[in-house]
């Protein structure tokens, strides 16, 4: 039997694609292995969004190619880097046996067979045609949570972003298909559904002619067995009153939202083509903050072309004023084939890094301040593991992989995926400590 392994890089959307490939591979009779040293075929599902992600993907390809001296017979690259640099990858990396773009991964079983028969394969260019709703799926996340990808592609024209060229135009997945997938996930033990897309808030606009995320949330919450529903990748200009009301009133929808704002200064937002303004952003934030216990996560880009000291100071003041619960920062990555690549007044890497460090230090202090306020509070925490004699897990305030965790002691044995009550006793910069109730 042929052993196949997958290494999934990049975002949660890529994770879902990898899980669909795993499902197809198993259905076709291949054996799935978790250790790359045991693999006859290895798939690297790459990210190509920014420079650091591209470097990581190339490094993995080169590192894994060394296994060809041992057992490995076929090395395949899939995902965004493959869609973006298809021809170049196959030409410049003779170690690769196949390159598959973002819209072609459903052909993975045939590609594996072809490479094992000595062929070099290039499949790409069908990002807008991807229809994977009926694909089998094997979860790579812990059993208690899963990502539900509600749309593919993006119609936003942000000047810094290459994603629409890699993932195609915005395509919502039909609601009945999402509900069926959610039911299947719950039957397999999933208790937390994490909604993802390039832009979750525009869900439905292309097939129902209106924003349908509130309706989707309502219908998902009627599925028995779902305990938590979490929203990531919300675009600020599409957060409607109806959505805010659904978050506020639906008990299964967590009081948590991830909104990548990217900047606060109107001139920078205009150059970024973000289709919003400081005033609109502030209005949305205030409405969200009116929900008791609401957690807002965001990300910002520093060093965008032409970003002056005054514009950066404006962003700093905005962060100080809004005091986001969770915040990430990226240095601007100059990506060819984007509008911003050609812009004048590119900011030096040294200044970008300085601004990044300033914001991360600022947010570290804000995060600690938020966490200290939680001392004495009680949270429902989902158990995710043990470390140094302590259990750890997440409450509703933390999304997996990107946020903090809560440590706590327990004198009874707990299982991963169990929900327990924890009282917070100590605060750290990003994590919490508590005791089991």
């Amino acid at each position: 039997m042929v052993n196949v392994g997958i290494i999934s890089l990049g975002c949660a959307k890529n994770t879902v694609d990898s899980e669909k490939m795993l499902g197809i591979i198993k259905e076709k009779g291949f054996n799935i292995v978790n250790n790359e040293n045991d693999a006859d075929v290895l798939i690297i599902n790459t990210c190509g969004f920014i420079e650091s992600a591209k470097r990581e993907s190339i490094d993995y390809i080169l590192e894994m190619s060394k296994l060809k001296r041992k057992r490995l017979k076929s090395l395949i690259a899939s995902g965004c880097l493959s869609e973006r640099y298809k021809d170049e990858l196959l030409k410049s990396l003779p170690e690769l046996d196949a390159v598959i773009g973002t819209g072609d991964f459903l052909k993975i079983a045939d590609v594996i067979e072809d490479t094992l028969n000595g062929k070099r394969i290039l499949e790409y260019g069908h990002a807008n045609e991807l229809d994977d709703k009926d694909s089998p799926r094997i979860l790579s996340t812990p059993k208690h949570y899963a990502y539900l990808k509600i749309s593919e592609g993006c119609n936003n024209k942000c000047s810094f972003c290459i994603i629409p060229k890699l993932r195609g135009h915005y395509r919502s997945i039909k609601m009945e298909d999402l509900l069926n997938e959610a039911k299947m996930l719950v039957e397999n033990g999933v208790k937390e559904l994490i909604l993802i897309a390039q832009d979750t808030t525009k869900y439905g606009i292309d097939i129902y002619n209106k924003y349908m995320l509130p309706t989707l949330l309502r219908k998902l919450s009627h599925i028995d067995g779902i305990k938590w529903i979490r929203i990531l990748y919300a675009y600020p200009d599409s957060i409607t009153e109806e959505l805010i009301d659904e978050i506020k009133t639906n008990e299964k929808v967590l009081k948590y939202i991830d909104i990548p704002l990217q900047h606060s200064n109107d001139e920078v937002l205009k150059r970024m083509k973000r289709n919003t303004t400081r005033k609109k952003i502030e209005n949305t934030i205030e409405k969200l903050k009116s929900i008791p216990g609401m957690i807002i996560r965001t990300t910002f880009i520093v060093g965008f072309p032409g970003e002056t000291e005054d514009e950066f100071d404006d962003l700093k003041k905005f962060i100080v004023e809004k005091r986001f619960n969770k915040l990430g920062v990226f240095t601007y990555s100059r990506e060819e084939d984007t509008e911003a690549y050609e812009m004048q007044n590119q900011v030096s890497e040294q200044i970008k890094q300085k601004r990044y460090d300033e914001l991360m230090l600022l947010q570290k202090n804000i995060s600690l301040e938020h966490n200290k306020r939680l001392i004495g509070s009680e949270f429902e925490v989902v158990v995710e593991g043990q470390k140094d004699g302590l259990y750890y897990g997440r409450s509703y305030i933390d999304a997996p992989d990107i946020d903090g965790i809560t440590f706590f002691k327990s004198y009874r044995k707990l299982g991963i995926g169990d929900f327990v009550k924890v009282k917070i006793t100590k605060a750290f910069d990003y994590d919490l400590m508590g005791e089991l109730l």
Side-chain angles (χ1 to χ4, degrees), residues 75-289:
L75 184 61
I76 299 168
S78 61
C80 287
L81 190 78
S82 298
E83 185 70 35
R84 189 171 182 182
Y85 296 110
K86 48 264 183 185
D87 298 304
E88 296 97 315
L89 282 178
L90 216 52
K91 285 175 187 171
S92 61
L93 294 172
E95 301 89 345
L96 281 174
D97 299 285
V99 173
I100 314 172
T102 55
D104 295 271
F105 69 82
L106 299 181
K107 303 171 187 171
I108 186 62
D110 292 335
V111 170
I112 290 171
E113 293 283 6
D114 286 342
T115 60
L116 291 175
N117 288 325
K119 296 178 183 176
R120 290 192 90 203
I121 303 297
L122 179 60
E123 292 277 4
Y124 71 94
H126 302 97
N128 283 318
E129 299 163 30
L130 178 64
D131 181 5
D132 60 354
K133 68 177 184 297
D134 296 321
S135 300
R137 181 177 171 190
I138 295 175
L139 294 186
S140 58
T141 54
K143 192 177 180 181
H144 57 277
Y145 76 84
Y147 296 103
L148 185 67
K149 184 161 66 170
I150 66 174
S151 70
E152 186 56 270
C154 188
N155 286 351
N156 298 318
K157 305 294 183 186
C158 303
S159 62
F160 54 83
C161 187
I162 193 68
I163 291 299
K165 292 183 179 178
L166 305 182
R167 292 277 179 177
H169 59 73
Y170 195 85
R171 298 162 338 266
S172 299
I173 297 166
K174 287 181 182 176
M175 199 171 297
E176 56 265 36
D177 294 328
L178 292 173
L179 294 173
N180 288 335
E181 185 174 5
K183 287 171 187 171
M184 179 272 293
L185 292 169
V186 170
E187 285 167 8
N188 284 287
V190 168
K191 298 169 186 173
E192 178 184 5
L193 276 181
I194 304 171
L195 273 51
I196 59 169
Q198 299 302 333
D199 179 352
T200 51
T201 41
K202 286 189 177 62
Y203 172 74
I205 192 67
D206 54 320
I207 54 177
Y208 304 115
N209 296 315
K210 63 175 289 193
Y211 296 150
M212 291 290 281
L213 181 57
T215 304
L216 176 62
L217 292 170
R218 212 152 35 242
K219 292 193 175 184
L220 286 170
S221 70
H222 293 152
I223 298 174
D224 289 338
I226 292 178
K227 189 172 179 65
W228 287 354
I229 303 171
R230 189 183 299 275
I231 305 168
L232 301 186
Y233 305 105
Y235 204 81
D237 73 326
S238 312
I239 296 175
T240 62
E241 297 279 358
E242 186 187 5
L243 177 58
I244 292 169
D245 189 60
E246 191 64 32
I247 295 169
K248 184 177 182 177
T249 58
N250 191 323
E251 290 184 0
K252 289 189 179 181
V253 177
L254 297 178
K255 309 313 178 235
Y256 176 109
I257 193 166
D258 163 56
I259 318 171
L261 294 174
Q262 313 304 13
H263 217 281
S264 63
N265 180 271
D266 281 332
E267 290 304 313
V268 179
L269 289 168
K270 200 180 294 179
R271 294 200 297 277
M272 287 180 166
K273 293 204 166 171
R274 287 293 287 171
N275 195 34
T276 191
T277 64
R278 165 84 167 249
K279 190 171 182 180
K280 288 179 182 175
I281 289 170
E282 288 180 325
N283 194 29
T284 299
I285 290 169
E286 291 315 304
K287 287 176 182 175
L288 286 166
K289 282 186 173 182

Side-chain angles (χ1 to χ4, degrees), residues 1-4 25-33 38-41 71 73 112-113 116:
M1 187 177 281
V2 176
N3 287 350
V4 181
I25 289 162
K26 185 175 182 182
E27 194 176 62
K28 295 295 183 181
F30 296 103
N31 185 48
I32 296 167
V33 294
D38 298 329
D40 301 302
V41 178
R71 175 171 182 154
K73 300 179 181 69
I112 290 171
E113 293 283 6
L116 291 175

Side-chain angles (χ1 to χ4, degrees), residues 347-358:
V347 178
S348 72
E349 293 302 320
Q350 185 179 5
I351 291 174
K352 288 180 197 174
Q353 190 60 45
K354 178 177 174 291
R355 291 175 181 176
Y356 169 88
D357 292 340
E358 278 188 53

Side-chain angles (χ1 to χ4, degrees), residues 84-85 159 161-162 165 335-342:
R84 189 171 182 182
Y85 296 110
S159 62
C161 187
I162 193 68
K165 292 183 179 178
E335 298 299 318
E336 64 269 27
D337 298 323
T338 65
E339 189 178 334
Y341 183 84
E342 304 294 342

